[in-house]
Amino acid sequence: MRWSSKLRLRLRSLFQRDAVERELDSELRFHLEEQIAENIASGMKPDEAKYAASRAMGGITQIAEQCREARNVGLVETTWHDLRFGARMLAKNPAFSTVAVLTLAVGIGFNTMSFSAVTALLFGGLPVKDPDRLVLGEALREGFDPAGTSQLQYTVLRGEQKAFASTALSIDRSFLLRGNTEAEQVHVAAVSPGFFETLGTAPILGRDLSREESRPGGPAAVLLAYGFWQRRFGGDPNVIGQSLVLDDRSYSVVGVMPPGFDYPTRTQAWVALEVDPETAPMQLRTAHGSIFVARLREGVSLLQAAQASKESVRHLEQQFPTERGWSYGLLTMRQWSIGDDDGRMTRAIVVLVLAIGLLLLICCVNVANLLLVRGVVREGELAIRVALGASSWRIAQQLLTEGAMLAFVGGAAGLLLAWGMRPVFRMLNPIQPHSFGEVATDFRMDTRVFIFCFTISILSGLMFSLLPTLKLVKLRNVIAMLRQREHRVGGTAARRGWLRALVVAEIAIAVSLSFGGALLTKSFYGLAGLDLGFRPEHLLTMQLPLSVTEYPHETQKVAFLDRVLERVRALPGVEAAGVTTSLPMQEFSPDTVFTVEGRPPRNPSDVPITALRHVSPGYAETLGLMLLEGRMITAEDRADTLPVAVITEEMARQAFGDGDPIGKRLRRGRQQDTIYPWLVVVGVVRDAKEDRLNFRIARPVLYIPYAQRTNPPSGVLMGLVVRTTADPSVTANFIRTSIHDINPYEPVLDVSSMDAMLNSVLSSDRFSARVMAMLAAVGLFLAAIGLYSVIAYSVTQRTGEIGLRMALGAQPRSVIGLIAREGGALVGFGLVVSLPFMFVVARLLSSVLFSVSAGDPAILLGIVLLLTFVALTACFVPTMRAIRLDPLRALRCE
């Protein structure tokens, strides 16, 4: 009974299918005749009308024939048939295929490039063992202002056995390597025993530094960086045992480190730290100039280690009053490697990745919109397939295959776009790494990138194909489909609902990107237009390292710098010149604790900090600082005269409140420190943004005459600042020649204009603003295309209605209003839907913005006006087409 029932159902299905085919053939002939009649009515000759109708109906008859032939084909043959048919359909509609592929290429290309960059920056392989278990420490002044680790803090941190498996300390130094010409500065790190074991990196040639070499007075040994070894010794494998003279001391080369290893700060060589942190003089033990690195114990998180470190450092306050007001924090090795000390760079990268992901979503929505519009045209074809026995899964398979082909071609084009974007991205890359720069910024197209590109291509194909497929597989009644005009079936409000919903989604996402781009752009221009307190134009800067062996006394350094200034100021094209111990906008800025006479801090834990600069006479005038009261530092302020100081207005406020600071005294150090003399305040200058790390805030600055330096004899890196009347680059060679006339071996380093240094400071904000603005522009363009397609499609479907209105006397303005209301409704809904997205964008960007409010009315108004312009532009062409319709021809379509 069961088998006979199945057999009867099968036979009935076959008989019904034959009946449908007979009715289908009759219907096709009827439509062919009807199409010929319409062509003749439109003015064609009979032969032309028959030919045009045959071409128009040939596609449907061919589909019917193919469906009959493909009933009993296997899976492999079916897939191959779908691929061939999909390729023919894409080739038959080149405009649609080109727009869809280019749209996908933009979204997939940007996401592939961002994946390559993020993989290198945040997950790339560093030349150390298990980098995610390595952390670096920062002493925090008043809980937020980062500084280096003191040796006093290191003594307690290396005893923190619960958090750290091993610890090490390093101090950056600069040595002079002399030759037959100008001396070369070598960036050297003095490291404690166990430094390389903590990092998990071993030399590729020779050995590590021994503990014997780390003892005071031990053998002088040096490890070379791979790049320095290649450049200085030509990659000689017999370099071990050779001598290298640094600062007139001979060091024996004991090893060469692997390629890419330059920790802690673009280091070229490593020597032993010949200072015992527990027995060093207190002045050295309390100086915050070292870099602490540690390897976390298994099972200990970064948060747990940071809390333990903070508690250990806090206990120092009880024994050493100088440590009051200091806290401690940890950051990961990856943060350090890309120069992200405060986490702002990582947050900006995450925001940009999310924005690029939103761009891909817009692209997918746009392609889905195009497929829905195209699906309306293909309803007749798909209905014929259903009538001839195609199942819903068979229809879905065909549509998904075509979507996968689009995604594959779009992914290939996106991969080529990402490949072409690499040089541009490297040129605009704002990352300024402390170390491992070659590894962390190697944006390569490796296997992971190809897999990612392939994966998002497939996911994108499913994303933009799924909704059109679900809508089109519901078709069942082929006879009803053929007896109605396709454009009328597709033109119903229900059919257009999905199109409108997708356009609203596009507009909402594009508005969110535009909002983020506007916030970042305004923030960047706010920073770029910030009043620096000095004049950066026509300023030339350079570094002059003064060796302790060549200038053992401070008076010799001062005499050399005086001669340099005298020669430089006499050069043509030089307006003014000065020297300083800390150039504006350089990476590291020295500072000091200060004490005001008669005004002890209210809280013993308060640590008043100021940036410290020893400057020459004329430095303030060269920089363009504005004197508010008193006088500047002059040539009369020498070592044997009254110690004086010039301060900024922020320091005057912090030190003296509303009182007059002129004639008051302050000194470096704390209340109980007496090693530094009292300084008489002789002038107050306007606040200047000289500190790179605190560029967004006003920091107090203390200027002391460089002739009154009281530091013990040591090497010093002095900055020369020159104001020129012409292009600074033209004057640089003359300045270098003048310096070498005084000392032929004096290195002249890091020659740069102040404008270039400011560009470096703002590079991260500039990059974020440009990328977000570009993404916003692309997103708005795609949203405009989507809006245009929906409006144009709506006008096409309502041709008969518009013709009827105009035939009954409707004015063009009423037709324009009809179309404008539809476009305005879509834009209005898009703005409403975008509000929560804009709130999320504002929260994500809050930590990287400068003086910009998320509710800035200018930004909100600008976005509304911009979106209105985009909507008017998208609606213009369909509107013009509608008002130019011939009512009689429109009624004939009806």
Side-chain angles (χ1 to χ4, degrees):
M1 180 67 182
R2 183 175 55 185
W3 286 103
S4 59
S5 299
K6 288 186 177 181
L7 180 59
R8 284 198 302 273
L9 291 174
R10 181 63 177 166
L11 291 173
R12 185 183 304 170
S13 174
L14 291 175
F15 289 143
Q16 288 177 349
R17 183 179 302 166
D18 291 338
V20 169
E21 289 184 7
R22 288 193 297 272
E23 188 174 359
L24 175 62
D25 292 336
S26 175
E27 196 69 35
L28 289 174
R29 286 194 297 272
F30 171 77
H31 276 273
L32 179 62
E33 295 170 358
E34 186 182 42
Q35 186 67 47
I36 294 173
E38 284 189 8
N39 292 344
I40 293 175
S42 64
M44 290 186 181
K45 295 179 180 180
D47 293 339
E48 295 177 350
K50 290 179 180 179
Y51 177 73
S54 298
R55 289 196 61 183
M57 300 300 297
I60 298 180
T61 56
Q62 182 182 10
I63 292 166
E65 190 63 29
Q66 289 174 348
C67 289
R68 294 188 185 101
E69 294 176 354
R71 284 177 183 170
N72 300 317
V73 177
L75 178 61
V76 176
E77 291 82 358
T78 300
T79 304
W80 175 244
H81 169 81
D82 289 344
L83 290 173
R84 288 193 306 164
F85 183 75
R88 287 199 299 269
M89 292 298 293
L90 295 179
K92 186 179 178 181
N93 299 274
F96 162 80
S97 303
T98 302
V99 171
V101 167
L102 291 180
T103 301
L104 290 173
V106 170
I108 295 174
F110 271 94
N111 277 270
T112 301
M113 186 64 242
S114 69
F115 176 80
S116 176
V118 170
T119 300
L121 294 173
L122 304 184
F123 307 102
L126 301 180
V128 293
K129 179 183 177 182
D130 197 6
D132 295 326
R133 305 298 299 171
L134 286 174
V135 295
L136 289 92
E138 289 183 328
L140 302 174
R141 294 166 294 200
E142 301 176 353
F144 69 93
D145 200 5
T149 301
S150 69
Q151 296 186 34
L152 194 62
Q153 292 171 332
Y154 175 62
T155 57
V156 298
L157 290 172
R158 68 180 179 181
E160 188 58 57
Q161 301 296 326
K162 294 182 180 179
F164 305 128
S166 61
T167 60
L169 196 70
S170 65
I171 300 177
D172 284 339
R173 291 179 178 173
S174 292
F175 289 168
L176 291 183
L177 178 62
R178 300 190 181 276
N180 297 327
T181 57
E182 177 184 330
E184 175 187 354
Q185 186 186 38
V186 181
H187 296 284
V188 178
V191 299
S192 66
F195 177 81
F196 296 102
E197 288 86 348
T198 298
L199 294 173
T201 303
I204 59 172
L205 282 180
R207 61 173 176 83
D208 191 356
L209 297 170
S210 67
R211 293 190 176 274
E212 179 67 23
E213 291 157 345
S214 299
R215 296 193 179 116
V222 62
L223 270 168
L224 304 180
Y226 185 86
F228 183 76
W229 170 56
Q230 291 284 335
R231 179 172 56 84
R232 188 72 186 183
F233 295 93
D236 182 8
N238 299 316
V239 69
I240 306 301
Q242 296 187 33
S243 297
L244 190 68
V245 180
L246 301 173
D247 271 0
D248 296 331
R249 184 182 181 185
S250 179
Y251 289 80
S252 176
V253 178
V254 298
V256 177
M257 296 305 295
F261 185 87
D262 60 354
Y263 178 82
T265 50
R266 297 186 288 276
T267 305
Q268 297 172 287
W270 294 264
V271 298
L273 180 62
E274 299 177 354
V275 176
D276 187 352
E278 296 184 356
T279 61
M282 185 57 66
Q283 182 179 354
L284 293 179
R285 296 178 67 190
T286 58
H288 291 269
S290 305
I291 301 175
F292 171 76
V293 63
R295 181 170 294 278
L296 298 178
R297 284 194 175 278
E298 291 296 330
V300 177
S301 66
L302 177 65
L303 183 61
Q304 293 171 332
Q307 185 62 34
S309 302
K310 185 182 297 185
E311 293 295 330
S312 298
V313 170
R314 185 177 300 166
H315 292 157
L316 289 173
E317 295 183 0
Q318 304 171 4
Q319 186 178 359
F320 302 96
T322 57
E323 295 302 307
R324 290 175 180 169
W326 289 91
S327 183
Y328 206 78
L330 299 178
L331 65 156
T332 65
M333 176 65 77
R334 295 190 185 277
Q335 283 182 270
W336 173 265
S337 67
I338 63 174
D340 189 22
D341 297 7
D342 56 1
R344 185 181 291 119
M345 181 65 67
T346 301
R347 291 191 292 271
I349 290 174
V350 171
V351 170
L352 290 178
V353 169
L354 292 176
I356 293 173
L358 288 178
L359 179 65
L360 178 59
L361 183 58
I362 292 180
C363 294
C364 291
V365 170
N366 216 7
V367 176
N369 223 339
L370 293 173
L371 286 175
L372 277 175
V373 174
R374 184 167 172 263
V376 173
V377 181
R378 298 183 62 185
E379 284 181 345
E381 166 208 334
L382 298 176
I384 293 171
R385 292 178 178 273
V386 172
L388 296 177
S391 64
S392 297
W393 167 245
R394 186 68 187 84
I395 298 294
Q397 180 183 349
Q398 175 65 55
L399 296 176
L400 291 175
T401 300
E402 294 178 17
M405 294 179 67
L406 268 181
F408 179 79
V409 178
L415 189 62
L416 291 176
L417 178 63
W419 183 278
M421 289 169 56
R422 290 196 311 162
V424 177
F425 194 87
R426 284 187 180 131
M427 182 178 63
L428 300 176
N429 181 20
I431 303 297
Q432 299 173 5
H434 290 322
S435 55
F436 309 135
E438 296 180 2
V439 178
T441 57
D442 184 13
F443 308 139
R444 63 178 61 188
M445 293 293 174
D446 54 14
T447 305
R448 291 178 300 178
V449 176
F450 285 112
I451 293 175
F452 174 81
C453 182
F454 176 77
T455 303
I456 64 170
S457 298
I458 296 300
L459 292 178
S460 300
L462 290 174
M463 188 182 304
F464 66 70
S465 299
L466 191 58
L467 179 59
T469 300
L470 292 177
K471 294 293 292 179
L472 293 173
V473 295
K474 296 178 181 179
L475 300 175
R476 287 293 180 269
N477 194 339
V478 63
I479 304 305
M481 285 297 306
L482 291 174
R483 288 177 178 174
Q484 300 183 52
R485 298 291 183 183
E486 291 181 357
H487 65 268
R488 292 184 61 186
V489 176
T492 62
R495 300 268 179 181
R496 293 196 301 266
W498 279 107
L499 299 177
R500 292 172 175 172
L502 291 178
V503 170
V504 167
E506 276 189 276
I507 292 174
I509 299 172
V511 167
S512 303
L513 286 178
S514 301
F515 181 65
L519 289 176
L520 287 175
T521 301
K522 187 169 184 178
S523 174
F524 166 70
Y525 281 106
L527 282 170
L530 192 65
D531 185 3
L532 300 174
F534 65 91
R535 296 181 290 120
E537 62 277 3
H538 296 294
L539 271 183
L540 182 68
T541 65
M542 58 193 71
Q543 300 273 20
L544 303 177
L546 304 183
S547 169
V548 65
T549 58
E550 190 160 2
Y551 306 101
H553 303 291
E554 288 296 311
T555 55
Q556 293 174 312
K557 298 173 186 174
V558 172
F560 170 74
L561 293 173
D562 285 344
R563 292 181 63 191
V564 168
L565 289 176
E566 182 181 358
R567 294 289 297 271
V568 170
R569 288 168 179 165
L571 291 174
V574 173
E575 183 180 329
V579 296
T580 175
T581 51
S582 180
L583 286 172
M585 304 303 158
Q586 71 179 24
E587 291 190 5
F588 301 102
S589 178
D591 47 35
T592 182
V593 179
F594 68 90
T595 300
V596 180
E597 186 179 32
R599 292 173 64 96
R602 297 179 181 177
N603 187 339
S605 296
D606 289 343
V607 185
I609 301 291
T610 177
L612 173 65
R613 287 174 171 81
H614 291 89
V615 300
S616 70
Y619 170 79
E621 294 83 351
T622 302
L623 202 61
L625 299 179
M626 180 183 295
L627 183 66
L628 300 180
E629 56 179 317
R631 67 173 177 86
M632 297 288 195
I633 292 172
T634 66
E636 284 71 33
D637 298 318
R638 311 301 294 180
D640 55 352
T641 62
L642 179 69
V644 298
V646 173
I647 62 176
T648 60
E649 54 183 329
E650 176 64 20
M651 185 168 183
R653 185 189 66 79
Q654 292 188 19
F656 304 104
D658 297 330
D660 184 8
I662 301 300
K664 303 291 180 60
R665 298 203 307 174
L666 52 81
R667 71 180 177 193
R668 298 168 58 186
R670 299 173 185 264
Q671 193 77 18
Q672 65 275 13
D673 296 336
T674 58
I675 60 174
Y676 297 108
W678 288 103
L679 305 173
V680 178
V681 178
V682 296
V684 179
V685 296
R686 187 181 176 190
D687 287 330
K689 304 291 186 181
E690 295 186 67
D691 194 340
R692 182 189 190 104
L693 297 179
N694 295 277
F695 185 69
R696 298 168 182 245
I697 62 175
R699 282 206 70 196
V701 184
L702 174 64
Y703 299 98
I704 300 176
Y706 79 117
Q708 296 181 351
R709 281 173 54 94
T710 56
N711 293 32
S714 62
V716 64
L717 188 65
M718 297 299 293
L720 175 63
V721 182
V722 181
R723 182 168 296 280
T724 66
T725 57
D727 185 1
S729 61
V730 177
T731 315
N733 289 331
F734 295 106
I735 296 174
R736 187 188 299 269
T737 301
S738 298
I739 295 173
H740 288 163
D741 287 343
I742 302 172
N743 182 353
Y745 303 106
E746 175 60 39
V748 180
L749 310 173
D750 301 331
V751 179
S752 174
S753 67
M754 185 56 63
D755 289 333
M757 298 184 73
L758 285 172
N759 286 335
S760 174
V761 173
L762 297 174
S763 61
S764 175
D765 297 272
R766 180 187 299 106
F767 177 80
S768 300
R770 286 179 175 176
V771 171
M772 282 293 292
M774 179 174 59
L775 295 177
V778 174
L780 281 175
F781 177 72
L782 294 175
I785 292 177
L787 184 62
Y788 166 79
S789 64
V790 169
I791 298 298
Y793 175 72
S794 176
V795 171
T796 302
Q797 304 308 314
R798 302 174 70 177
T799 300
E801 174 193 344
I802 294 173
L804 181 61
R805 288 174 179 269
M806 298 184 69
L808 295 176
Q811 298 297 318
R813 62 174 177 270
S814 64
V815 176
I816 294 175
L818 179 69
I819 299 173
R821 281 194 296 273
E822 183 174 358
L826 293 176
V827 172
F829 280 121
L831 282 172
V832 172
V833 174
S834 68
L835 291 177
F837 293 101
M838 293 168 66
F839 174 77
V840 173
V841 169
R843 290 292 302 271
L844 289 174
L845 295 178
S846 59
S847 61
V848 297
L849 296 177
F850 175 77
S851 298
V852 178
S853 170
D856 192 324
I859 292 178
L860 297 176
L861 179 61
I863 289 177
V864 172
L865 293 177
L866 179 61
L867 191 60
T868 302
F869 172 76
V870 170
L872 291 175
T873 303
C875 295
F876 176 77
V877 174
T879 303
M880 292 298 99
R881 186 185 302 163
I883 64 177
R884 291 174 182 173
L885 280 174
D886 182 0
L888 293 180
R889 180 165 294 186
L891 287 174
R892 186 180 295 121
C893 293
E894 183 68 19

